[in-house]
Amino acid sequence: MSIDVRSGEDVPRFGLLVRQHRTRIGLTQRELADFSTVSVRAIRDLEQGRARRPRQDTVRLIADGLRLGLRARADLESAANEGRTSWAVKAGYEADPPAPPFATDVQLGREAETGVILDELTGGAERLLTIVGIDGVGRTRLALEVATRLHTAERTPVLWCPVTTVGPRPGGDRLAALVRAAVDQLLDSGDGGTDDVAAFVETVADRPPLLVLDGVTGTGVRGDRLAELLRDCPGLRILVTAAQPLRVPGERTFLLTPLAVPEAGEPVDPQSPAVRLFVERARRARPDFHLTAADAGLVGDICRRLDGVPQALHAAASWLVVYDIPTLHRCLHDDPAGLLHHLAGAEGGGGLREALARRLADLPTAARDLLAALCVRGDDFGLPEVMTLTGGSLPDSGRAVRDLVLHGLVRPSYAAGQSRFRILHLVRAAQLCALAARV
């Protein structure tokens, strides 16, 4: 008996066949679910076209539940394969697990952070982890280190998607295009459907990858689609780098603070993370550069002035092609505008000033006003000072400071069992420049 699958509905042929075979033999969706062990929801979604790419085991179970003969079963399987992601893509993905991009430099001073994220992702404690922090702090580099170690140690497939890049990454193949399309659906920047997410699941479900979304901005992430993806693809782990938390259920927010800097008045340890990074970058500008006892104190002060932010350290060190250490130190301490001007005009620092300005402009009005007041105040601060400035309660003040911390604008300290906070020098410079521009 032939089955007429013509319909005006936008339903794939597989869904139409399932519905018509079911109604022909007089089964309800619940009865077919009982016979096939496929959920009622899955059958309903297939018949209505909301799910368009059934897995092979789902096709087999439904065919068994419908008691189809050989010819009808073959027709159903053929319909299931229509529009599927190429089996060649899936086979290539499984045979040669994709690797993350190649790192062009060595990561310094992030062993603790790398270890914590690796433990959480590999141990199953977290499946959706977002690295946040101020621009230039090294979010992408940390994610790359984590992804590289996972791929090296476990042959974990790594699907790296730079969110700020339009379309598949240069040189990308069909797998890269599929990943990009699925990510667009997660970020709600696609056409509104979920077909690409379903195709993604179909391709990777048998060997779940680490999916890296690098450079998420704004808050346009679809929490419901992320949740469905994690449910439909057990074992999938998602690592995100973002300007701020996604604020979706199940998210683990990892605050990446700047590198540790030498304490004022203390001897400068050449192995201090910020100092090591500055010296390594200085040698790129001047291969004969070495840290002398005479310059050590000035270098330590430069690192403090730049808050241990890696991108700022890179930019400052590039000036050594024309400056000596005392001159660089003097230039970075003249005034806030001079500090930002030097970073903006240096190698690797071109976007830092603009990124800081955008981050301050994107703050809610209350947070921006609080930050401005704290910048004028000048010293480090605690919650009592914030309560005095705002007249707010302790919980309200705590939430306000927490937002500034998670935006990467304020650095927390927990010395001597007390919570204290300090606005980054770079942030204060950007804020004071913004205030001066309005006058």
Side-chain angles (χ1 to χ4, degrees), residues 115-395:
V116 168
I117 295 176
L118 279 171
D119 287 346
E120 293 186 357
L121 291 176
T122 57
E126 305 294 342
R127 295 184 61 200
L128 173 59
L129 189 147
T130 304
I131 302 173
V132 299
I134 193 171
D135 302 275
V137 78
R139 301 184 304 249
T140 295
R141 185 62 185 87
L142 178 58
L144 183 56
E145 188 71 18
V146 170
T148 300
R149 295 195 189 186
L150 268 176
H151 181 76
T152 301
E154 303 179 1
R155 292 276 290 168
T156 299
V158 174
L159 299 175
W160 186 280
C161 186
V163 173
T164 54
T165 302
V166 178
R169 64 175 181 262
D173 54 14
R174 293 176 63 186
L175 177 61
L178 172 63
V179 173
R180 164 64 60 183
V183 168
D184 284 346
Q185 298 300 332
L186 296 176
L187 299 179
D188 209 18
S189 55
D191 61 9
T194 57
D195 286 356
D196 295 313
V197 176
F200 175 86
V201 172
E202 174 193 325
T203 302
V204 307
D206 294 335
R207 188 166 188 176
L210 174 70
L211 174 61
V212 183
L213 310 184
D214 182 38
V216 174
T217 58
T219 56
V221 178
R222 287 287 300 266
D224 56 340
R225 291 181 181 173
L226 275 174
E228 289 179 6
L229 175 60
L230 290 169
R231 181 201 66 204
D232 294 342
C233 193
L236 170 69
R237 291 158 288 181
I238 303 176
L239 180 61
V240 181
T241 70
Q244 57 185 300
L246 305 183
R247 295 184 172 86
V248 296
E251 177 189 23
R252 149 67 155 131
T253 301
F254 186 95
L255 174 63
L256 182 60
T257 58
L259 295 172
V261 297
E263 292 292 334
E266 297 290 331
V268 173
D269 180 3
Q271 298 304 310
S272 168
V275 173
R276 284 181 63 202
L277 181 59
F278 179 85
V279 170
E280 188 271 335
R281 287 287 167 164
R283 287 174 178 158
R284 295 190 180 191
R286 284 170 37 192
D288 63 339
F289 180 85
H290 64 279
L291 187 64
T292 66
D295 288 341
L298 296 178
V299 169
D301 202 27
I302 289 171
C303 292
R304 284 192 295 275
R305 180 68 168 166
L306 300 176
D307 304 299
V309 174
Q311 188 176 347
L313 294 170
H314 295 177
S318 71
W319 278 103
L320 293 180
V321 72
V322 291
Y323 290 163
D324 52 36
I325 290 294
T327 302
L328 177 61
H329 179 267
R330 185 168 63 253
C331 289
L332 297 181
H333 282 69
D334 281 344
D335 60 77
L339 168 64
L340 294 179
H341 176 75
H342 268 78
L343 294 184
E347 178 186 346
L352 186 57
R353 180 173 184 169
E354 291 77 10
L356 285 169
R358 284 195 302 271
R359 182 162 289 227
L360 294 179
D362 290 342
L363 284 175
T365 301
R368 191 162 56 246
D369 291 345
L370 173 59
L371 184 65
L374 291 170
C375 284
V376 172
R377 185 178 180 277
D379 300 326
D380 70 338
F381 63 93
L383 293 179
E385 289 89 340
V386 175
M387 293 169 64
T388 300
L389 278 174
T390 64
S393 65
L394 180 59

